């Protein structure tokens, strides 16, 4: 059966394509109309959310995965990352006001909640949480991420967090950098294999609880009891399906209670560890003083103002889920953010474009959560490393286009 569809792409389509779900026709974006023969193989049970898969060949979309539980700082991280590329991210213009997508000049961030196959009622009826793979459509996620990576636009579904329903799809054009953020970017092996770089935000239970209480009580009017109950209800599925993804991450930002205050239970001062996998293509870990050595550093004194309980850095090689890693750790918090330049000048391999860029980024977003501690510092550093990775991938594709697309 011949299916006529419109492909949205910035590239010439001279290669083999297949259509898995016939899509609606949209007009107006650099489109080319192509006749396809349906494969007859529907990859999704959805009536909406089509994908046109082509091996277009010369695509340049770099795909980044960011995994974390809800309320663990993904949005904050995304704002820092987008800022490193020099722009602010906004929802698609003129689209669904409840869209979860954020677009800037260089990046498009899609939220994987949009691949929930069961809406809020559906999950309730079946007795499953949103973390359960049975509540998510990994076939569609894979096909759409693959299509975007190969330079082809898709009609991605929208999960509406306000209504709890699945809304009509939105058009996602291939960006320079696609970030897929949410609960499961590294869960499905096929999706995982599409990632050029992956990050896991590993927030310890104590800290997660403190952040969730702060946000859900202050901003969403939830009671302490309901927050506790929701965390408890999610925990088994979190442990089974979300947490194990950290073994696949190229970088993990681990957030723990401080060790500088004995038996601290306030959760305000944090110990943050940046775990960086060795041997990842286009990514070289940051180091403190001397690459590969084991270092402990208390920078407080003449050049860095520290009030109680102070600041302690550590760095060294380690092993993480059987992989060789480097770990950079910061315990404590900055009193004066402008003095961060002192710390920055002792770190190497930061992938900055000028002296003091980390400090500049941190000062620019001093009002973001975590700007006075290792969460903000390490998120900024990972943002710079992603920019560097992107530039390296683009440069290597430009140098050897055929080889690079095969890799
Ligand atoms: N580094 C941090 N330090 C302190 N609090 C933080 C930090 N990051 C996030 N938070 C707290 O957690 C809340 C959630 O952060 P954010 O919106 O970035 O998370 P999220 O993972 O995108 O959440 P969701 O998936 O639920 O939308 C913030 O409002 C803030 O209260
Ligand atoms: O984990 C989540 C997002 O990261 C949400 O719990 C999930 O998407 C379900 O959403 P809702 O709160 O609208 O039922």
């Amino acid at each position: 059966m011949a299916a006529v569809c419109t492909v949205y792409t910035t590239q010439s389509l001279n290669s083999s394509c297949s259509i898995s779900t016939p899509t609606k026709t949209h007009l107006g974006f650099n489109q080319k109309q192509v006749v396809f023969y349906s494969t007859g193989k529907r990859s999704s049970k959805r009536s909406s959310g089509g994908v046109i898969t082509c091996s277009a060949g010369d695509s340049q979309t770099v795909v980044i995965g960011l995994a974390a539980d809800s309320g663990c700082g993904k949005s904050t991280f995304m704002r820092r990352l987008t800022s490193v590329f020099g722009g602010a991210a906004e929802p698609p213009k003129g689209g669904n006001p409840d869209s979860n997508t954020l677009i800037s000049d260089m990046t498009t961030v899609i939220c994987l909640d949009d691949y929930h196959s069961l809406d809020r009622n559906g999950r309730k009826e079946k007795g499953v949480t949103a973390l359960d793979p049975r509540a998510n459509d990994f076939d569609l996620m894979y096909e759409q991420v693959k299509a975007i990576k190969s330079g082809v636009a898709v009609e991605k579904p929208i999960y509406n967090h306000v209504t709890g329903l699945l809304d009509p799809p939105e058009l996602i054009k291939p960006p320079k950098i696609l970030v897929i953020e949410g609960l499961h970017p590294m869960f499905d092996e096929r999706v995982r294999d599409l990632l050029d770089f992956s990050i896991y935000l590993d927030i310890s239970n104590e800290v997660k609880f403190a952040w969730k209480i702060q946000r859900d009580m202050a901003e969403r009017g939830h009671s302490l009891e309901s927050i506790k109950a929701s965390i408890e209800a999610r925990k088994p599925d979190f442990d089974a399906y979300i947490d194990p993804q950290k073994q696949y991450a190229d970088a993990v930002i681990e957030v723990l209670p401080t060790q500088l205050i004995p038996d601290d239970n306030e959760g305000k001062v944090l110990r943050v560890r940046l775990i960086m996998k060795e041997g990842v293509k286009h990514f070289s870990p940051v180091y403190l003083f001397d690459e590969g050595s084991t270092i402990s550093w208390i920078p407080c004194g003449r050049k860095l103002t520290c009030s109680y309980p102070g600041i302690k850095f550590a760095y060294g090689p380690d092993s993480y889920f059987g992989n060789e890693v480097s770990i950079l750790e910061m315990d404590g918090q900055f009193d004066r953010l402008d003095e961060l330049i002192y710390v920055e000048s002792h770190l190497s391999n930061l992938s900055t474009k000028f002296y003091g860029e980390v400090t500049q980024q941190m000062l620019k977003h001093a009002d973001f959560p975590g700007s006075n501690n290792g969460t903000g510092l390490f998120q900024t550093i990972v943002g710079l490393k992603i920019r560097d990775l992107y530039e390296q991938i683009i440069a290597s594709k430009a140098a050897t286009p055929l080889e690079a697309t095969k890799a």
Side-chain angles (χ1 to χ4, degrees):
M1 181 190 81
V4 180
C5 64
T6 303
V7 174
Y8 305 86
T9 176
T10 52
Q11 305 167 38
S12 60
L13 284 167
N14 53 5
S15 47
S16 60
C17 301
S18 65
I19 176 167
S20 59
T21 309
T23 58
K24 289 183 289 182
T25 301
H26 288 254
L27 295 171
F29 168 64
N30 193 17
Q31 55 191 214
K32 298 176 169 59
Q33 197 162 42
V34 190
V35 177
F36 290 106
Y37 288 94
S38 168
T39 59
K41 191 178 147 224
R42 283 175 69 93
S43 60
S44 161
K45 291 189 188 72
R46 282 171 197 280
S47 57
S48 61
V51 58
I52 304 154
T53 318
C54 304
S55 50
D58 56 349
S59 153
Q60 308 254 299
T61 294
V62 169
V63 186
I64 309 293
L66 173 66
D69 198 2
S70 162
C72 285
K74 295 185 297 291
S75 313
T76 311
F77 185 19
M78 282 305 109
R79 287 196 290 162
R80 288 190 197 277
L81 175 68
T82 310
S83 164
V84 163
F85 285 99
E90 288 174 1
K93 285 196 177 66
N96 185 332
D98 294 327
S99 165
N100 302 306
T101 302
L102 288 171
I103 299 175
S104 73
D105 287 351
M106 294 287 290
T107 60
T108 292
V109 181
I110 61 172
C111 175
L112 296 180
D113 295 348
D114 288 334
Y115 293 100
H116 288 336
S117 51
L118 296 174
D119 63 12
R120 203 176 285 155
N121 273 335
R123 291 194 298 270
K124 208 168 166 190
E125 274 168 22
K126 292 221 157 53
V128 295
T129 72
L131 300 88
D132 191 312
R134 288 172 295 175
N136 295 279
D137 187 343
F138 289 102
D139 289 344
L140 187 64
M141 187 191 296
Y142 164 63
E143 288 188 20
Q144 296 207 330
V145 174
K146 185 171 155 219
I148 296 171
K149 189 171 169 124
S150 43
V152 178
V154 301
E155 296 228 316
K156 181 188 61 53
I158 298 175
Y159 175 72
N160 188 321
H161 280 99
V162 180
T163 61
L165 299 171
L166 292 161
D167 282 354
E170 64 185 353
L171 182 70
I172 303 291
K173 302 170 196 168
K176 293 201 166 65
I177 300 167
L178 174 73
V179 184
I180 58 168
E181 63 94 356
L183 297 170
H184 303 99
M186 286 96 91
F187 181 83
D188 184 287
E189 192 180 352
R190 297 165 303 167
V191 179
R192 201 160 68 225
D193 286 347
L194 293 171
L195 301 176
D196 293 292
F197 194 74
S198 54
I199 306 130
Y200 186 90
L201 301 182
D202 188 8
I203 315 299
S204 63
N205 286 333
E206 301 93 318
V207 177
K208 197 191 284 187
F209 191 58
W211 288 2
K212 218 165 165 54
I213 286 176
Q214 181 194 323
R215 181 182 72 172
D216 291 358
M217 281 182 83
E219 295 172 23
R220 301 187 177 177
H222 297 178
S223 70
L224 185 60
E225 284 318 306
S226 74
I227 297 166
K228 273 187 192 162
S230 126
I231 290 178
E232 282 311 311
R234 289 170 73 96
K235 196 160 181 331
D237 282 353
F238 174 80
D239 291 343
Y241 308 119
I242 312 303
D243 195 57
Q245 292 176 93
K246 62 190 180 194
Q247 67 188 292
Y248 304 116
D250 298 316
V252 175
I253 299 180
E254 198 175 82
V255 185
L256 304 150
T258 181
Q259 287 184 335
L260 299 174
I261 306 171
D263 303 319
D264 175 64
N265 51 17
E266 257 194 85
K268 284 200 177 128
V269 182
L270 300 174
R271 173 178 165 233
V272 188
R273 284 156 47 96
L274 174 58
I275 302 166
M276 299 162 280
K277 212 181 251 178
E278 296 287 348
V280 175
K281 202 170 176 191
H282 306 304
F283 172 70
S284 55
V286 173
Y287 64 88
L288 178 64
F289 292 115
D290 183 36
E291 190 170 15
S293 294
T294 298
I295 312 272
S296 176
W297 183 42
I298 296 176
C300 307
R302 291 189 194 162
K303 294 184 182 151
L304 197 75
T305 315
C306 299
S307 53
Y308 180 81
I311 299 178
K312 189 172 172 188
F313 278 86
Y315 162 77
D318 212 324
S319 153
Y320 187 76
F321 289 99
N323 294 308
E324 207 186 310
V325 295
S326 284
I327 303 183
L328 178 65
E329 174 177 323
M330 174 184 165
D331 196 348
Q333 54 194 32
F334 301 111
D335 277 12
R336 294 190 43 180
L337 211 44
D338 54 337
E339 291 176 350
L340 175 61
I341 189 72
Y342 177 64
V343 172
E344 181 176 350
S345 63
H346 289 81
L347 292 167
S348 299
N349 248 352
L350 284 168
S351 300
T352 46
K353 289 204 188 285
F354 54 87
Y355 177 71
E357 191 178 10
V358 172
T359 306
Q360 189 202 60
Q361 280 293 330
M362 290 283 282
L363 284 167
K364 197 165 149 193
H365 302 300
D367 57 329
F368 286 7
S371 288
N372 67 343
N373 62 36
T375 59
L377 176 61
F378 295 162
Q379 286 179 4
T380 302
I381 290 175
V382 173
L384 292 166
K385 298 305 290 185
I386 289 173
R387 182 182 66 187
D388 187 46
L389 176 116
Y390 166 75
E391 288 174 356
Q392 287 187 50
I393 291 175
I394 294 307
S396 72
K397 280 184 180 173
T400 50
L402 275 176
E403 286 311 302
T405 48
K406 274 189 230 155

